Amino acid sequence: MSATDWYAHKSLGEGLYWIQEKFFESSNRANIWLLRGSHQDVVIDTGLGLRSLPDYINSKGLLGDDPQRKNPLLAIATHAHFDHSGGLHQFQQVGVHSAEVDALANGDNFETVTWLSDREIVQAPWPGWRARQYRVKAVQPTHILQEGDVINLGDRQLTVLHMPGHSRGSICLHDGDNKMLFSGDVVYDGAMIDWLPTSQVSDYISSCERLVGLVDSEQVDQVMPGHYHTFGAKQLHRIASGYIDKAGTCPARFSTFAWRTLAGLALRASNTRGIC
């Protein structure tokens, strides 16, 4: 299967594209965002990497043909989990938060929580493909991101907001001028996951408090999440404040502990080759 067949995209206007892997049918299917700038273009999250994302972007002409644009496409992972980082190795320029650089550089499939089943891939990317063969390929990031870093696209800037909780290196990218938030798995319109081996509930509560603050200060109008559909400020406030209210309760703490234990055991059993 070619890259052209594997992916599909939708233009959301003003140089923003929403890309998905058509044959990865799962709640783990991540949204891939392509954002064009006058100086630099950026891909936010890269999916599984089973087919070439750069080839798809180029074949569809999503970057245009301006000869003055010489900067290679920058791929940024909102965090290192497999459904967001699997395609990073396909790019010359790669950015990730400093807390997860080692996980990617070492191809650590435990920390990337690599967990893929055959039933989630409804059409194999090539003959004989099986999910048990899948691993996130090691990649050395060229851009080590920290809180407050600004990614200059020319006519727009993305500010790095370190929002740990789901994972230690989770980030959001905030386009303040356009009040747009690329949120990764920090927040989306679904059950928020805080029970993975590197998740931390106390950090997640702090991150959600920060999200509420962004809404209260009218800095966000639109959220482009890591999964599912886009949503607005009111929904962001509802999701983040709802997590804060529930996360500290005794039933929630017990459930998180139980799921973290099970998830850790399952991931170690399936990814022993990726553990350092």
Side-chain angles (χ1 to χ4, degrees):
M1 181 186 299
S2 69
T4 304
D5 295 325
W6 181 256
Y7 299 97
H9 76 274
K10 178 180 180 181
S11 173
L12 301 184
E14 299 190 5
L16 177 62
Y17 298 91
W18 184 1
I19 303 174
Q20 289 191 318
E21 297 173 283
K22 291 191 298 184
F23 302 106
F24 182 22
E25 294 187 0
S26 168
S27 60
N28 285 329
R29 182 175 68 181
N31 295 323
I32 300 166
W33 303 102
L34 171 64
L35 183 61
R36 297 197 58 189
S38 60
H39 174 70
Q40 173 76 63
D41 302 322
V42 63
V43 169
I44 302 170
D45 291 331
T46 60
L48 299 176
L50 291 175
R51 297 284 77 182
S52 173
L53 182 55
D55 283 355
Y56 179 81
I57 291 170
N58 290 329
S59 68
K60 295 297 182 180
L62 301 187
L63 299 183
D65 56 2
D66 185 348
Q68 300 302 315
R69 301 171 60 80
K70 298 180 180 179
N71 290 332
L73 186 58
L74 170 62
I76 296 176
T78 59
H79 60 301
H81 291 169
F82 78 104
D83 47 330
H84 298 259
S85 67
L88 288 176
H89 68 279
Q90 300 169 350
F91 293 85
Q92 296 179 45
Q93 293 194 95
V94 172
V96 70
H97 189 268
S98 60
E100 294 179 341
V101 168
D102 288 346
L104 293 177
N106 295 329
D108 185 344
N109 279 272
F110 178 76
E111 186 157 353
T112 61
V113 296
T114 301
W115 187 271
L116 189 62
S117 67
D118 286 334
R119 70 176 183 276
E120 293 174 293
I121 305 298
V122 297
Q123 188 168 329
W126 58 82
W129 181 90
R130 291 293 182 270
R132 65 177 179 271
Q133 303 165 345
Y134 179 78
R135 293 291 184 273
V136 173
K137 294 182 180 180
V139 58
Q140 182 63 55
T142 58
H143 293 61
I144 300 174
L145 305 177
Q146 301 280 6
E147 166 71 26
D149 286 350
V150 176
I151 300 163
N152 182 16
L153 306 187
D155 56 347
R156 62 202 307 167
Q157 285 75 44
L158 299 175
T159 301
V160 176
L161 308 179
H162 183 210
M163 297 276 203
H166 176 69
S167 76
R168 70 185 88 202
S170 285
I171 62 171
C172 295
L173 296 172
H174 184 217
D175 180 348
D177 291 339
N178 295 289
K179 297 186 177 182
M180 185 178 295
L181 187 72
F182 295 89
S183 67
D185 282 4
V186 175
V187 61
Y188 47 79
D189 197 359
M192 293 160 71
I193 296 176
D194 60 4
W195 41 262
L196 294 168
T198 62
S199 300
Q200 182 58 252
V201 172
S202 59
D203 287 343
Y204 220 150
I205 292 173
S206 296
S207 292
C208 283
E209 290 173 343
R210 194 174 180 190
L211 291 172
V212 170
L214 289 174
V215 176
D216 289 344
S217 58
E218 299 183 349
Q219 295 184 64
V220 174
D221 284 340
Q222 190 74 8
V223 180
M224 325 306 290
H227 297 274
Y228 311 123
H229 54 79
T230 63
F231 53 91
K234 288 184 178 179
Q235 184 72 342
L236 173 59
H237 194 285
R238 185 193 68 78
I239 295 169
S241 58
Y243 179 83
I244 294 167
D245 291 341
K246 294 178 182 178
T249 65
C250 288
R253 288 199 298 267
F254 177 79
S255 176
T256 297
F257 173 79
W259 277 109
R260 180 179 291 121
T261 301
L262 291 172
L265 291 171
L267 286 167
R268 287 188 184 280
S270 62
N271 290 303
T272 52
R273 285 181 292 170
I275 301 173
C276 299

